[in-house]
């Protein structure tokens, strides 16, 4: 009984006990790809550092044979545990020995078996076609906590060890792991590959891929071999990513002042893949859409996605793999940094893409999520493995990257880089916490980094700074911004920057208190002279993670500055997006937002126009609920606003045109189609049918295909489904994932509920890979939201079974729930999930319901906006906004 009780002590613990530490894994795996099974042994060199009769490590979904387990310390014979217990709910394997284990190193051996699952995690199977035949490949995806589904291990990031991997595979297949092969033994139909022992690393970065592949190869200036592996016959699609990878490795070596630490880097396209990509040490795995680029069939946006994802995963080879977070609470150190650094790399490789301008759009996604009461701090408590998946969210990635950018801009680029390099050096082959990074940066800069940054990483949310000019003084006051319109009680140390009249006059300081009055004599004098063209813009270049609400006078002057083209694109974006957010939070009227939008009539910048489009979608969807009688006029205004740029760009690519114009053309045409602009719809449909006749037609280049597909879906209804069927034909005939994705993302965009239902059911069919179903949800319009919700409820059991073990399920919930805008719906949704919530979706459910309630408030506030009707009429009647 006493012994039993001691097994109990290991249950329901957030972390493994630390009385034994793994140092080295000798892992053997062999798999049967047709039977979808695998078996293996792991011999783990463990250092027993405390008095114990137990060894406790992780294991899940594995069968471990009692007789296969023994422990051997040097000089003594093997001892077997008297009890081997796999505790399912805690995913731990507890080994109880009758005697105390000797201190020091010993070897633990465990034999195990498992199934190559179809859940895209652990050791799983992915399906590809070769010569018309379906075949399985075997792939690992271990982050965050699924190495334990492949072999018993200490599956926490701080238990770093070396890995010596051996694989037995069919001779005809390619088998890859983190390190290069050191020895190969061919034995008829099977071969045994031994890989070199890795440097010390965390278990979540171990990887194995077994299948049939072609590759392209190149070397870095240091002679590191880089390869891109893809489906047989597609290797030319790997060239772009290969080139990006080679250049990026050279760049990071300089930036971090530490070379890439492994002898090779492989990057592999996997047909079934839950995330976008995974940074396994030396063996990075990708969705096909995030790695492959086809010169003729891929769009400019696809190209940018590939470059950014590659740059992101390679950043992890330093930030994450070489220096690893101590626990998942510090996940943002991995993801926030990789996101930020990927922009640095993309900007250096492709300056014409202006990715730092595009970054503000990324930041906005973080700002939106973090304006919910149900947001979480960047540093978040994690008490169970099942809670980890949900924090791979916009807080860790986008807010994380944004607060890094904010800090870099406060400390200066050089000082920041120097300190980062020392951080990487100091924590190489080890683990770090958030405060370790602050300490290094504090040392390098002499600034109070820890105090400043704690306010951003340890509490959720962010401030809105109210800026008022009063009695010859500039008054600033901060309050927590919430999209519900209420005020939270958070307070921050805000790095304020402002420029006035021109970018030559700037000021920077820390706002530490709730409010502060400033004497800026030059500024106030210019106001006194009542010079209407004098403006003040806070948060210069949008480097700070906060919003600004200007008083009436300041706001009017900024509108003038926008019209007079005196603000940078990022600052124009900032003024617009802050205004949009304040409007959704009912702190500003829709009429004032629309008037501000009208001042963007001369806008040419990709990122700004793209945001105007995003705002337009949200505005028309909400207006449709709030003031349907004004909808047509609002649409007319938005069409006029976007038409000038659409006309400038036309339908066909111009010779040598820029990347941003190519992306912008597609987004503008899609928006005009969505807004119901007849001329655009007709032309889009015409071009689609030309494409249907001839897939090589010049009339429908990849950048504008989505616009055509949406237009086609607008022509479809329950009695005429021809357009939908034609789209399905293109879907079935293409073998490019990006093309499949483009089509999926539009199939549900019909306004006829029966067609939407067909499309949603198609997503669940065997013709759509599980990884891709979520793409289809993005296409659901306001007209489809009711049928989508009913569909979600009816299929919940299946959806939850199929996608519920990963983070993809959260996308089902958020994309179907969030578009609603009434309190009754919010309650109905709440009711539905009461009995269906699990730790892995609970945060998303709460956030989505909160969004619905916020939408409802916004609808009410729009209804009470008395000047809206007149303003909308006036804006709609302007033939052009010139
Ligand atoms: N480490 C992640 C992959 C991951 C995500 C593993 C979620 C487990 C759960 C990887 O580095 C990553 O962030 N991938 C991104 C792409 C990136 C460019 C933002 C992704 O998968 O979307
Ligand atoms: Zn990442």
């Amino acid at each position: 009984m006493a012994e039993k009780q001691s097994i109990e002590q290991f249950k329901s613990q957030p972390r493994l006990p630390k009385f034994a530490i793994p140092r080295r894994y000798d892992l053997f795996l062999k798999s049967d790809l047709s039977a979808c099974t695998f078996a293996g042994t792991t011999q783990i060199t463990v250092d027993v550092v405390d008095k114990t009769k137990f060894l406790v490590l992780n294991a899940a979904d594995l069968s471990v044979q009692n007789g296969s387990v023994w422990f051997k310390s040097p000089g003594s014979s093997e001892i077997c545990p008297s009890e081997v217990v796999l505790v399912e709910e805690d995913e731990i394997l507890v080994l109880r020995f009758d005697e105390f284990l000797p201190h020091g190193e010993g070897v633990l051996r465990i034999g195990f078996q498992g199934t190559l699952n179809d859940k895209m995690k652990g050791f799983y199977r992915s399906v590809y076609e070769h010569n018309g035949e379906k075949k399985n490949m075997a792939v690992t995806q271990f982050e965050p906590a699924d190495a334990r589904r492949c072999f018993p291990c200490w599956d926490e990031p701080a238990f770093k060890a070396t890995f010596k991997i051996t694989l037995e595979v069919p001779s005809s297949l390619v088998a890859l792991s983190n390190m290069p092969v050191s020895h190969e033994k061919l034995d008829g139909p099977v071969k045994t590959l031994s890989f070199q022992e890795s440097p010390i690393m965390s278990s979540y970065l171990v990887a194995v891929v077994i299948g049939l592949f072609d590759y392209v190869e190149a070397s870095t200036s240091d002679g590191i071999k880089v390869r891109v592996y893809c489906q047989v016959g597609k290797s030319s699609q790997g060239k772009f990513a290969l080139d990006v990878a080679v250049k990026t490795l050279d760049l990071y070596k300089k930036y971090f002042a530490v070379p890439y630490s492994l002898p090779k880097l492989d990057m592999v396209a996997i047909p079934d893949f839950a995330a976008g990509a995974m940074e396994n040490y030396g063996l990075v795995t990708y969705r096909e859409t995030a790695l492959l680029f086809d010169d003729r069939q891929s769009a400019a946006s696809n190209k940018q996605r590939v470059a950014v994802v590659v740059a992101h995963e390679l950043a992890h080879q330093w930030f994450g793999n070489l220096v690893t977070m101590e626990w998942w609470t510090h996940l943002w150190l991995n993801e926030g940094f990789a996101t930020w650094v990927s922009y640095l790399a993309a900007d250096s490789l492709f300056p014409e893409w202006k990715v730092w301008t595009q970054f503000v759009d990324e930041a906005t996604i973080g700002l939106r999520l973090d304006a919910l009461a149900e947001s979480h701090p960047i540093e978040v408590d994690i008490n169970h493995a099942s809670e980890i998946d949900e924090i791979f969210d916009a807080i860790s990635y986008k807010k994380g990257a944004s607060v890094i950018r904010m800090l870099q801009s406060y400390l200066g680029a050089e000082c920041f880089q120097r300190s980062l390099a020392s951080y990487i050096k100091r924590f190489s082959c080890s683990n770090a916490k958030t405060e370790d990074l602050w300490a290094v940066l504090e040392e390098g800069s002499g600034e109070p980094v820890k105090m400043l940054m704690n306010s951003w990483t340890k509490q959720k949310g962010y401030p809105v700074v109210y800026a008022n000019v009063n009695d010859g003084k500039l008054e600033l006051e901060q309050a927590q911004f919430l999209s519900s319109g209420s005020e939270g009680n958070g307070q921050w140390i805000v790095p304020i920057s402002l420029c006035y009249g021109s970018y030559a006059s700037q000021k920077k300081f820390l706002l530490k208190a709730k409010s502060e009055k400033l004497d800026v004599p030059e500024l106030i004098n210019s106001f006194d002279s009542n010079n209407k063209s004098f403006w003040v813009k806070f948060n210069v270049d949008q480097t700070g993670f906060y919003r600004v609400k200007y008083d009436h006078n300041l706001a009017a002057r900024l509108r003038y500055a926008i019209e007079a083209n005196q603000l940078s694109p990022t600052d124009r974006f900032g003024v617009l997006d802050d205004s949009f957010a304040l409007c959704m939070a009912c702190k500003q009227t829709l009429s004032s937002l629309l008037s501000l939008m009208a001042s963007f009539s001369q806008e040419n910048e990709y990122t700004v126009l793209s945001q105007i489009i995003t705002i337009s979608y949200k505005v028309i969807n909400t207006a449709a609920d709030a003031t349907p009688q004004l909808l047509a006029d609002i649409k007319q205004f938005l069409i006029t606003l976007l038409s000038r740029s659409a006309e400038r760009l036309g339908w066909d690519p111009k010779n040598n045109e820029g990347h941003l114009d190519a992306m912008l053309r597609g987004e503008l045409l899609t928006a005009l189609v969505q807004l119901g602009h007849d001329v655009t719809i007709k032309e889009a449909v015409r071009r689609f049918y030309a494409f249907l006749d001839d897939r090589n037609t010049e009339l429908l280049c990849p950048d504008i295909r989505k616009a055509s597909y949406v237009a086609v879906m607008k022509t479809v209804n329950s009695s005429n489904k021809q357009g939908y069927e034609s789209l399905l034909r293109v879907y079935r005939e293409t073998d490019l994932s990006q093309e499949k994705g483009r089509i999926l993302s539009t199939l549900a965009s019909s306004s006829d509920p029966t067609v939407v239902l067909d499309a949603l059911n198609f997503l669940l069919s065997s013709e759509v890979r599980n990884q891709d179903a979520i793409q289809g949800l993005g296409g659901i319009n306001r007209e489809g939201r009711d049928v989508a919700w009913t569909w979600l409820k009816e299929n919940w059991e299946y959806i939850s079974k199929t996608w519920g073990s990963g983070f993809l399920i959260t996308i089902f919930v958020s994309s179907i729930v969030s578009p609603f805008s009434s309190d009754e719906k919010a309650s109905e949704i709440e009711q539905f999930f009461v009995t269906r919530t699990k730790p892995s979706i609970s945060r998303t459910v709460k956030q989505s319901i909160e969004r619905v309630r916020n939408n409802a408030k916004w609808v009410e506030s729009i209804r009470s906006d008395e000047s809206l009707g007149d303003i909308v009429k006036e804006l709609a009647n302007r033939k052009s906004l010139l």
Side-chain angles (χ1 to χ4, degrees):
M1 191 58 200
E3 301 287 0
K4 277 270 179 288
Q5 260 178 358
S6 27
I7 285 190
E8 290 304 308
Q9 70 185 309
F10 302 118
K11 294 188 179 172
S12 307
Q13 298 299 313
R15 311 263 301 245
L16 293 172
K18 294 198 170 66
F19 40 63
I21 316 282
R23 302 288 182 210
R24 175 183 191 270
Y25 290 81
D26 199 331
L27 174 66
F28 170 79
L29 285 173
K30 76 177 188 188
S31 48
D32 182 332
L33 296 185
S34 6
C36 294
T37 55
F38 65 91
T41 52
T42 173
Q43 300 205 36
I44 314 170
T45 305
V46 290
D47 195 358
V48 179
V49 293
D50 252 331
K51 197 172 173 192
T52 180
K53 287 183 177 179
F54 291 91
L55 288 176
V56 184
L57 61 163
N58 294 109
D61 301 340
L62 293 174
S63 63
V64 174
Q65 291 80 36
N66 275 14
S68 78
V69 184
W70 49 248
F71 182 82
K72 183 178 179 320
S73 43
S76 41
S77 52
E78 293 154 10
I79 52 169
C80 292
S82 46
E83 205 173 355
V84 176
V85 183
L86 215 157
V87 185
E88 234 171 85
E89 55 293 1
D90 295 313
E91 305 185 340
I92 52 170
L93 182 67
V94 184
L95 312 175
R96 186 171 62 80
F97 296 87
D98 285 336
E99 53 204 282
F100 286 106
L101 299 174
H103 269 235
E105 284 194 357
V107 173
L108 170 68
R109 181 205 188 268
I110 306 173
F112 54 89
Q113 289 171 350
T115 307
L116 289 175
N117 70 71
D118 61 354
K119 300 280 181 258
M120 299 183 279
K121 63 184 214 175
F123 200 13
Y124 72 94
R125 62 181 191 264
S126 170
V127 184
Y128 62 102
E129 237 176 67
H130 186 242
N131 294 335
E133 218 181 296
K134 283 210 154 94
K135 297 203 162 144
N136 291 328
M137 64 171 81
V139 188
T140 55
Q141 167 60 44
F142 290 167
E143 195 184 12
D146 295 314
R148 62 191 68 174
R149 285 169 221 283
C150 179
F151 61 100
C153 57
W154 274 259
D155 198 13
E156 292 180 5
F159 287 112
K160 284 191 168 187
T162 66
F163 289 83
K164 171 101 188 67
I165 295 176
T166 306
L167 300 176
E168 188 185 299
V169 301
S171 311
S172 57
L173 298 184
V174 174
L176 305 169
S177 185
N178 307 85
M179 297 295 286
V181 171
S182 58
H183 182 73
E184 176 168 348
K185 196 179 97 212
L186 200 68
D187 190 3
V190 294
K191 61 182 175 188
T192 304
L193 301 178
S194 311
F195 296 87
Q196 291 175 24
E197 183 163 336
S198 75
I200 72 160
M201 60 191 269
S202 306
S203 55
Y204 79 90
L205 293 166
V206 172
V208 165
V209 173
I210 305 164
L212 206 56
F213 299 98
D214 276 351
Y215 66 83
V216 283
E217 178 183 284
S219 291
T220 65
S221 57
D222 286 349
I224 289 158
K225 249 191 215 162
V226 182
R227 286 182 179 176
V228 173
Y229 285 86
C230 42
Q231 291 303 290
V232 173
K234 286 194 185 177
S235 63
S236 67
Q237 294 178 9
K239 285 185 187 152
F240 175 68
L242 180 66
D243 186 49
V244 171
V246 167
K247 291 179 176 147
T248 304
L249 285 181
D250 282 336
L251 182 86
Y252 289 159
K253 177 187 164 189
K254 285 201 205 98
Y255 190 81
F256 295 121
V258 175
Y260 173 67
S261 48
L262 300 187
K264 62 93 177 168
L265 170 71
D266 292 325
M267 312 204 290
V268 197
I270 308 293
D272 302 275
F273 199 81
M278 175 64 211
E279 71 267 24
N280 312 302
Y281 221 169
L283 176 55
V284 183
T285 44
Y286 294 83
R287 265 186 192 228
E288 292 188 345
T289 50
L291 185 66
L292 305 183
F293 179 78
D294 184 290
D295 279 331
R296 296 181 47 83
Q297 303 294 326
S298 301
S301 56
N302 298 134
K303 188 174 202 169
Q304 186 174 317
R305 167 85 180 151
V306 169
V308 169
V309 179
V310 170
H312 175 111
E313 303 313 331
L314 298 196
H316 279 312
Q317 306 301 310
W318 284 260
F319 238 102
N321 300 7
L322 187 59
V323 180
T324 312
M325 71 235 144
E326 196 276 334
W327 177 240
W328 299 105
T329 297
H330 308 284
L331 172 72
W332 83 281
L333 278 181
N334 266 13
E335 299 304 350
F337 252 90
T339 301
W340 177 79
V341 176
S342 71
Y343 275 77
L344 200 85
D347 187 50
S348 152
L349 263 51
F350 306 100
E352 69 283 10
W353 293 1
K354 301 201 234 172
V355 293
W356 282 119
T357 304
Q358 295 190 50
F359 183 87
V360 293
D361 184 40
E362 190 107 4
T364 287
I365 303 171
L367 287 163
R368 297 241 191 292
L369 180 56
D370 208 23
L372 298 179
E374 290 292 347
S375 181
H376 63 81
I378 283 185
E379 294 181 66
V380 54
D381 281 345
I382 295 290
N383 292 310
H384 192 275
S386 62
E387 298 167 14
I388 309 171
D389 260 337
E390 248 193 333
I391 59 163
F392 285 83
D393 64 359
I395 298 302
S396 302
Y397 282 75
K398 322 272 174 172
K399 184 181 184 182
S402 303
V403 300
I404 289 159
R405 179 156 178 262
M406 178 161 76
L407 182 61
Q408 186 217 24
S409 130
Y410 180 71
L411 298 178
E414 265 170 51
C415 162
F416 194 73
Q417 172 176 5
R418 237 183 308 110
S419 310
L420 270 192
S422 8
Y423 167 83
I424 295 282
K425 195 163 267 132
R426 192 170 311 169
F427 292 95
S428 270
C429 300
S430 156
N431 295 81
K433 296 181 174 174
T434 304
E435 63 200 54
D436 295 323
L437 176 63
W438 300 155
V440 178
L441 283 159
E442 194 154 320
E443 223 176 276
S445 67
E447 293 283 335
V449 174
K450 187 170 169 190
M451 175 188 77
L452 167 66
M453 294 311 286
N454 276 349
S455 80
W456 295 93
T457 61
K458 289 193 186 291
Q459 67 181 334
K460 65 183 171 187
Y462 59 87
V464 50
V465 175
Y466 295 91
N468 297 292
V469 176
N470 249 339
D471 293 340
K473 281 214 175 358
L474 184 58
E475 294 176 1
L476 296 183
E477 182 173 343
Q478 60 161 308
Q480 181 173 3
F481 180 76
L482 288 169
S483 46
S484 61
S486 25
E487 263 173 24
N489 43 20
Q491 194 171 313
W492 288 263
I493 298 175
V494 192
I496 299 278
S497 59
L498 61 149
C499 61
Y500 39 98
S502 89
Y503 283 89
S505 318
Q506 299 209 13
K507 284 220 174 320
K508 283 184 173 192
F509 61 95
L510 293 180
L511 172 65
K512 293 183 182 156
K514 171 104 178 130
S515 64
E516 211 165 299
K517 283 193 181 149
L518 292 180
D519 273 319
V520 192
E522 318 95 287
L523 193 158
I524 299 302
N525 290 339
S526 306
F527 261 88
D528 284 350
S529 69
N530 217 4
N531 172 4
K532 284 280 175 230
S533 68
F534 187 87
W535 47 265
V536 188
K537 166 72 176 59
F538 287 88
N539 198 3
V540 181
D541 246 348
Q542 295 300 113
T543 52
F545 196 74
Y546 57 92
R547 300 209 179 269
V548 183
K549 180 155 175 22
Y550 297 91
D551 71 19
H552 195 68
N553 188 359
L554 289 168
R557 286 160 186 253
L558 279 172
R559 272 202 304 277
Y560 165 83
I562 290 167
E563 280 162 11
N565 198 19
Q566 294 188 10
L567 296 189
S568 70
T570 40
D571 284 327
R572 296 200 293 277
F573 181 104
V575 172
L576 176 65
D577 197 61
D578 283 355
S579 179
F580 174 47
L582 289 160
C583 181
M584 285 195 292
C586 314
K587 297 232 174 262
Q588 203 178 293
T589 59
L590 180 56
S591 7
S592 71
L593 174 65
L594 294 176
S595 305
L596 174 63
M597 288 170 84
S599 60
F600 286 81
S601 64
Q602 298 303 304
E603 186 60 57
N604 288 324
E605 185 77 21
Y606 164 74
T607 303
V608 181
L609 281 164
S610 174
Q611 193 62 8
I612 290 178
I613 292 170
T614 306
I615 295 173
S616 299
Y617 291 149
K618 184 74 183 171
V619 165
I620 56 168
N621 285 336
T622 312
D625 288 328
T627 54
Q629 73 285 3
L630 295 180
L631 191 57
D633 281 339
I634 295 179
K635 284 186 179 173
Q636 185 50 53
F637 159 63
L638 296 171
I639 287 170
T640 313
L641 184 60
L642 299 174
S643 292
R644 190 189 61 88
S645 291
E647 277 159 23
R648 173 173 74 84
L649 294 173
W651 284 83
D652 300 301
K654 310 231 170 18
N655 278 342
N656 299 321
E657 74 177 0
H659 170 82
L660 294 173
D661 276 349
M663 292 210 296
L664 181 56
R665 173 180 297 114
E667 290 184 29
L668 280 169
L669 291 173
T670 308
L672 288 175
V673 167
Q674 292 281 22
L675 290 166
H677 186 239
D678 279 338
V679 182
T680 308
I681 294 178
K682 283 208 183 75
E683 179 62 8
V685 172
R686 180 181 81 83
R687 286 176 183 249
F688 175 74
Y689 285 102
F691 171 68
L692 199 60
D693 285 344
D694 169 14
R695 297 304 150 77
N696 293 315
T697 178
E698 305 259 302
L699 285 177
L700 202 65
C701 72
D703 296 308
I704 60 166
R705 280 190 199 157
K706 183 165 176 186
S708 267
Y709 300 163
V710 176
V712 167
M713 286 312 301
K714 288 218 174 278
T715 67
V716 171
N717 56 49
S718 49
S719 50
N720 175 11
K721 289 197 186 163
Q722 189 211 340
Y724 175 71
E725 301 294 340
S726 305
L727 271 174
L728 285 184
R729 207 174 102 203
V730 180
Y731 176 86
R732 288 174 179 134
E733 286 173 11
T734 182
D735 69 343
L736 187 72
S737 305
Q738 287 152 349
E739 184 66 45
K740 283 192 195 287
R742 261 194 297 269
I743 295 172
L744 286 177
S745 73
T746 60
L747 282 182
S749 66
S750 163
S751 28
D752 186 315
T754 58
V755 183
V756 176
L757 187 59
D758 278 354
L760 293 174
N761 285 332
F762 180 71
L763 299 179
L764 302 186
S765 76
S766 61
E767 286 191 78
V768 179
R769 291 180 189 268
N770 288 347
Q771 65 163 8
D772 291 330
I774 44 159
Q775 299 238 27
L777 306 175
I780 304 168
N781 279 335
R782 180 177 167 280
E783 291 84 356
R785 66 184 177 185
D786 286 306
V787 66
W789 168 237
T790 308
W791 172 84
L792 183 75
K793 284 189 287 184
E794 282 173 1
N795 293 284
W796 180 254
E797 213 165 298
Y798 176 76
I799 289 170
S800 161
K801 196 176 87 212
T802 311
W803 287 275
S805 62
F807 50 84
L808 294 179
I809 184 93
T810 61
I811 301 176
F812 279 84
V813 175
S814 60
S815 55
I816 292 182
V817 167
S818 311
F820 286 105
S821 57
S822 73
D823 283 326
E824 302 76 62
K825 206 69 186 181
S827 309
E828 182 196 328
I829 295 162
E830 213 158 38
Q831 203 52 41
F832 176 78
F833 281 109
V834 164
T835 51
R836 293 172 179 86
T837 304
K838 302 187 289 187
S840 60
I841 59 165
S842 70
R843 207 189 286 278
T844 307
V845 168
K846 287 189 205 139
Q847 289 167 346
S848 304
I849 292 171
E850 188 182 348
R851 286 198 158 104
V852 176
R853 296 201 194 278
N854 290 344
N855 290 341
K857 287 200 185 117
W858 193 25
V859 164
E860 282 313 314
S861 127
I862 292 175
R863 284 186 184 146
S864 61
D865 180 350
E866 281 165 8
S867 47
L868 186 62
D870 290 343
I871 287 186
V872 166
K873 280 266 161 334
E874 197 261 315
L875 290 173
N877 285 333
R878 293 191 199 174
K879 282 286 167 282
S880 96
L881 296 158
L882 291 180

